[in-house]
Amino acid sequence: MAMATTKPREAGSLPPTGRTVRWRPSLSHILIGLAAILAFALNLVALQEKSSTTLVVVADGPIAAGTLFSQEDIRLVPVPTDFVGLDSLLTKSEALAAEGWIVDRPIGASAIIEASAVVEPGGPSGLRSMSIPVNPEHAAGGAIRSGDRVDIISVSDGQASFVVSDVGVIGVANASGDAFGVSGDYFIVVGVDADQALALAEAMASGSVELLRSTGAPEVESDIGS
């Protein structure tokens, strides 16, 4: 008959019971997880805010009408993509493409530049740009806009004659920087060839000129320049 032993079992020598021990997260583990989730959410919001802006062009200082557009005269500022009127403003990519174009109106320091304020110096056919100072009442009441076609009449000693016909308007601006439609000189920039430029210069030097908006009108049938 086996004798019962009174020797105590050593620690860890108990036979397995077959029960699985489940891990329960502590408060510190939960806090670490929440911090990671919060950091991810903040990074996502920052990326979304960064992607919801567009860089537009602002004048670094006063820019006079007729100045060649240069990257040295501007700076870029971000505006929200849902900014009202964003489509009419000059963006970073458009500014790069417009290097060397003509600023057709005075722009104040720190003013946001509209895309329409910068125009090509000439047409694709290599025409020259020429500025014609004229009062609005002698230019279709100031209704002429970029893209229009115009005829130009010279009036000298009471005699009127066509100087050029059906030339394209590159830009329109008030010489003083005021709004269109007020009294005072403003100028219209047209694309002309060398002969038309000479004829216009002579007409402006010898008398007054009248601009007719001829967009869509038939071409003048006359011996212009004769």
Side-chain angles (χ1 to χ4, degrees):
M1 181 175 181
M3 297 295 292
T5 180
T6 60
K7 184 180 179 179
R9 292 181 181 272
E10 295 180 1
S13 63
L14 292 174
T17 62
R19 294 164 58 184
T20 302
V21 178
R22 295 183 179 180
W23 177 82
R24 295 182 179 180
S26 65
L27 179 60
S28 62
H29 288 101
I30 294 174
L31 291 176
I32 292 173
L34 290 175
I37 294 173
L38 179 60
F40 174 79
L42 291 175
N43 287 334
L44 182 61
V45 169
L47 289 174
Q48 289 176 339
E49 289 180 349
K50 183 177 180 180
S51 63
S52 62
T53 61
T54 298
L55 292 175
V56 299
V57 178
V58 171
D60 210 23
I63 303 177
T67 302
L68 291 180
F69 182 76
S70 172
Q71 304 297 315
E72 297 179 356
D73 298 329
I74 63 172
R75 67 178 188 271
L76 301 173
V77 297
V79 298
T81 53
D82 58 356
F83 180 76
V84 177
L86 178 60
D87 292 343
S88 66
L89 303 182
L90 191 67
T91 62
K92 177 182 178 181
S93 59
E94 292 171 336
L96 291 173
E99 179 75 20
W101 288 18
I102 297 174
V103 179
D104 77 345
R105 69 195 69 168
I107 299 174
S110 299
I112 297 178
I113 301 177
E114 295 182 345
S116 60
V118 183
V119 297
E120 290 186 81
S125 59
L127 295 177
R128 293 161 169 79
S129 299
M130 187 168 187
S131 174
I132 306 173
V134 62
N135 288 326
E137 56 265 30
H138 295 290
I144 296 173
R145 294 291 181 266
S146 297
D148 275 337
R149 311 294 295 184
V150 294
D151 300 330
I152 302 173
I153 294 174
S154 173
V155 181
S156 179
D157 296 330
Q159 298 293 319
S161 60
F162 281 95
V163 181
V164 296
S165 175
D166 194 37
V167 294
V169 177
I170 299 174
V172 181
N174 188 284
S176 63
D178 298 329
F180 293 131
V182 300
S183 61
D185 288 345
Y186 80 130
F187 63 89
I188 293 179
V189 182
V190 294
V192 293
D193 59 28
D195 291 337
Q196 290 172 327
L198 291 175
L200 277 173
E202 183 178 343
M204 288 187 288
S206 61
S208 64
V209 293
E210 188 89 19
L211 276 71
L212 287 69
R213 183 176 181 273
S214 59
T215 305
E219 188 174 351
V220 174
E221 296 180 1
S222 64
D223 295 330
I224 296 176
S226 60

